[in-house]
Amino acid sequence: MAILLLYPEILVAIFLCFFFLCQWRWSKTRSAITNWPVVGMLTGLLQNAYNLHEYATWVLKQNGGTFEFKGPWFTNMNFTVTSDPMNIHHMLSKNFSNYIKGQKFHENFDVLGDGIFNSESDSWGYQRKLLQSLIKHRKFELFFQEVVKGIVDKSLIPVLDHVSSFGIEVDLQDIFQRFTFDSVCLVALGFDPKCLSIEFPHVSHAKAFDQLEESVFYRHIVPESYWKLQRWLQIGSEKKFSIAGKILDQFIYKCISSRQEKLSQSRAPKTEEEKFDLLTAIGEQVEEIGGLIKSDKFLRDNAFNLMAAGRDSVSAGLTWLFWIVATHPYVEAKILGEIKEHLLDKGKLKDFNIDELSKLVYLHGAICESLRLYPPVPFEHKCSVQSDILPSGHSIRPNTTMIYSLYSMGRMESIWGQDCLDFKPERWISERGGIVHVPSFKFITFNAGPRTCLGKDITFIQMKIIASAILWNYSVQVVEGHPVSPSISVILHMKHGLKVRIRKRFV
């Protein structure tokens, strides 16, 4: 009884279960969201949880692009959600200093530590400047390209040859997750975990990432006191979260120790990976520049943030791209024609470079269009510092949670026109055959303003290399009847994976 009195959310949750079951029996059709006594608008949200992203899009359209959600009493679950480009431009650029990550974000994503995603103010500014000097360096781009091409040749092609020769159905989403985990570990830590091989090995630290992602989303949808109670008691989702966090920490700290030992043996790195892997580069730069105190914890947090950025978002983007290209044969034909024109040498893919990849304009448009409709991160949130008035006219109080829906923005006629639901790479290509510039606060996949994603360019490099290698060498066919729908998570994975059959184009 004492626990129930200390945590009124539990009482609300019990009531919600009963109320939700009643609502579910009454109707499964989409209806206007209602602010009920005690439970607020949560019942409407729960009733449509199975189709949350589409429901949020519908609600935003009904409310002119911005909506104030009222949660259950006592739970502090109120927030303002928007898909209005002007509001987003205001929050992320014009009034950037007033919209921070906030305490709720830091608590939900505490596994990120003090890395760039979770930092604010001077700490964030220093880390961004440091990472920008490394990631935007031409030598790093060349190193990154070689890492990705190396995994394509040594891991991806052998796996696809294997499944195609045996006619095996394979989950392409799983393949991409393995690929990006290998690549980000090589780039960030200088270590290849070899997740992608014909044995499809179980890799505990890769699976730990999946668990952390699931637990973080759970923290977003239950009352704060409820998951904090679970954390205190070490039960349920929070117990799994703790176990997964320890597995990944052990892995990262082991990589840090191994890297430091190698560098101590020789002050002059000899291999390309030793020259440019980010763990080594960050450690050396911090030591030279000063700024934040250099420590294993600092290196761990930076490595973890880079791994989080480079694994799931890219693999999700690739999964949706291949599904949508497979279901649009004319798009696939145009991409193949472009690859034939720019990347072939005697009928085979040549050892192309970044400049040659930039000639794949139609493929670039297809990637942008896929990311518009299926952004890997479907929603982001901020917290207001002071009172404000949005361009839409909505008044914002201090400490208000602000959510902007990237998924919904790609489906707004007011932003993209009446054909917003159509997959049209052509909308990204100018009459002269170049890439059309779209403001970042409209095409928000890579964020906007001072926190614009530093990895945007290398993301396109990686996606183009992988797409070219697979599409030119193989025909990808989605298994008939395979259900395709987005998962309800912090990353827009496919709920059931992407089951495909792979056939070689040239035998």
Side-chain angles (χ1 to χ4, degrees):
M1 182 61 70
I3 290 178
L4 290 177
L5 292 174
L6 286 170
Y7 296 91
E9 288 91 340
I10 296 177
L11 289 173
V12 174
I14 293 170
F15 181 80
L16 280 177
C17 290
F18 172 75
F19 198 89
F20 171 59
L21 288 172
C22 292
Q23 284 286 95
W24 188 262
R25 290 183 63 187
W26 291 336
S27 173
K28 286 182 68 175
T29 60
R30 189 177 289 169
S31 59
I33 192 165
T34 303
N35 187 10
W36 296 95
V38 183
V39 296
M41 299 176 178
L42 192 57
T43 53
L45 194 63
L46 290 173
Q47 185 179 351
N48 293 276
Y50 69 99
N51 198 25
L52 181 61
H53 299 303
E54 295 295 341
Y55 181 64
T57 302
W58 179 80
V59 170
L60 285 165
K61 286 182 178 180
Q62 297 298 309
N63 289 273
T66 303
F67 178 70
E68 296 179 6
F69 179 87
K70 303 295 182 183
W73 298 356
F74 317 119
T75 62
N76 192 29
M77 290 181 70
N78 297 346
F79 54 83
T80 298
V81 59
T82 187
S83 60
D84 185 329
M86 292 300 101
N87 286 347
I88 291 168
H89 185 42
H90 179 80
M91 289 190 297
L92 303 187
S93 297
K94 288 188 174 181
N95 201 8
F96 172 74
S97 61
N98 192 54
Y99 294 93
I100 62 175
K101 295 287 186 177
Q103 182 181 353
K104 214 176 255 189
F105 184 97
H106 296 157
E107 290 181 342
N108 285 341
F109 291 92
D110 56 4
V111 70
L112 295 173
D114 298 318
I116 190 169
F117 290 142
N118 226 2
S119 59
E120 309 274 12
S121 191
D122 292 343
S123 174
W124 165 77
Y126 172 76
Q127 292 186 66
R128 184 173 177 87
K129 183 179 179 181
L130 171 62
L131 289 172
Q132 188 168 24
S133 69
L134 299 172
I135 293 175
K136 295 296 184 179
H137 199 289
R138 177 70 172 180
K139 288 184 178 180
F140 174 76
E141 284 190 345
L142 293 172
F143 161 66
F144 180 81
Q145 176 185 264
E146 291 308 308
V147 166
V148 174
K149 288 165 68 174
I151 300 175
V152 168
D153 293 339
K154 297 175 184 177
S155 300
L156 180 62
I157 295 300
V159 165
L160 296 182
D161 279 349
H162 175 74
V163 299
S164 64
S165 62
F166 285 94
I168 302 170
E169 289 183 10
V170 66
D171 181 358
L172 201 55
Q173 179 168 260
D174 179 47
I175 286 179
F176 288 146
Q177 285 180 316
R178 291 172 180 273
F179 186 109
T180 54
F181 191 75
D182 284 350
S183 65
V184 76
C185 285
L186 265 170
V187 171
L189 302 172
F191 173 76
D192 185 0
K194 294 182 171 56
C195 289
L196 183 58
S197 69
I198 60 175
E199 293 82 13
F200 289 92
H202 174 85
V203 181
S204 59
H205 33 270
K207 292 300 179 183
F209 244 108
D210 297 332
Q211 181 56 57
L212 289 175
E213 187 180 292
E214 182 180 319
S215 297
V216 165
F217 182 73
Y218 179 80
R219 289 178 173 185
H220 281 79
I221 61 172
V222 299
E224 181 181 332
S225 295
Y226 183 67
W227 70 257
K228 285 187 175 179
L229 175 62
Q230 285 191 318
R231 182 175 64 182
W232 181 60
L233 295 173
Q234 276 299 287
I235 59 174
S237 178
E238 287 299 308
K239 181 179 180 180
K240 295 176 183 178
F241 182 91
S242 296
I243 294 171
K246 289 176 182 176
I247 290 172
L248 269 170
D249 278 351
Q250 289 172 0
F251 169 65
I252 294 173
Y253 279 120
K254 184 178 180 180
C255 288
I256 292 172
S257 177
S258 175
R259 215 79 186 107
Q260 289 173 336
E261 185 178 343
K262 285 184 179 180
L263 289 173
S264 66
Q265 294 171 358
S266 174
R267 296 301 299 171
K270 297 178 181 179
T271 69
E272 289 302 304
E273 289 176 14
E274 285 177 328
K275 289 179 183 178
F276 296 112
D277 77 83
L278 291 176
L279 182 63
T280 302
I282 288 171
E284 291 180 344
Q285 287 279 13
V286 171
E287 189 173 39
E288 292 173 7
I289 297 173
L292 297 177
I293 298 173
K294 180 179 176 181
S295 65
D296 286 355
K297 171 70 164 54
F298 175 78
L299 294 175
R300 176 265 176 210
D301 290 348
N302 273 274
F304 195 100
N305 279 249
L306 291 168
M307 291 168 70
R311 187 223 182 198
D312 284 332
S313 57
V314 178
S315 64
L318 284 165
T319 303
W320 288 107
L321 172 68
F322 271 84
W323 170 71
I324 209 164
V325 168
T327 54
H328 290 75
Y330 80 93
V331 171
E332 182 182 45
K334 286 190 174 184
I335 293 173
L336 290 173
E338 195 173 54
I339 293 172
K340 184 177 181 180
E341 180 180 356
H342 297 293
L343 300 187
L344 288 195
D345 181 21
K346 297 179 180 179
K348 294 184 179 182
L349 288 179
K350 61 184 178 181
D351 188 20
F352 51 82
N353 55 39
I354 293 174
D355 293 332
E356 288 169 317
L357 283 176
S358 67
K359 297 176 183 177
L360 303 180
V361 175
Y362 195 83
L363 176 57
H364 189 100
I367 292 172
C368 288
E369 188 72 343
S370 177
L371 293 174
R372 175 183 73 84
L373 289 168
Y374 300 100
V377 180
F379 62 89
E380 290 270 15
H381 53 88
K382 295 281 190 179
C383 181
S384 60
V385 178
Q386 298 177 345
S387 298
D388 193 18
I389 297 179
L390 299 177
S392 61
H394 291 79
S395 295
I396 304 299
R397 295 179 179 179
N399 201 35
T400 297
T401 297
M402 306 292 301
I403 296 177
Y404 51 102
S405 173
L406 290 74
Y407 184 92
S408 298
M409 288 185 71
R411 288 163 167 70
M412 291 292 169
E413 291 89 347
S414 58
I415 302 176
W416 298 99
Q418 293 298 315
D419 62 350
C420 64
L421 297 181
D422 296 337
F423 178 66
K424 294 175 61 177
E426 292 79 7
R427 77 171 82 236
W428 297 90
I429 303 173
S430 69
E431 293 181 359
R432 295 184 178 182
I435 300 298
V436 173
H437 171 71
V438 177
S440 56
F441 56 86
K442 178 180 175 181
F443 178 49
I444 195 69
T445 300
F446 295 96
N447 222 325
R451 281 191 180 262
T452 297
C453 177
L454 290 171
K456 179 179 178 179
D457 292 339
I458 61 173
T459 295
F460 277 106
I461 290 172
Q462 185 171 14
M463 293 184 73
K464 285 179 182 178
I465 291 173
I466 295 170
S468 298
I470 295 178
L471 290 174
W472 182 256
N473 290 297
Y474 307 95
S475 171
V476 179
Q477 298 177 332
V478 180
V479 172
E480 186 176 353
H482 176 69
V484 173
S485 62
S487 63
I488 307 304
S489 175
V490 292
I491 299 292
L492 198 72
H493 296 301
M494 283 192 179
K495 185 176 182 181
H496 307 285
L498 180 59
K499 292 296 181 68
V500 300
R501 290 188 182 277
I502 305 288
R503 290 191 299 107
K504 284 187 178 182
R505 289 193 188 275
F506 312 104
V507 180

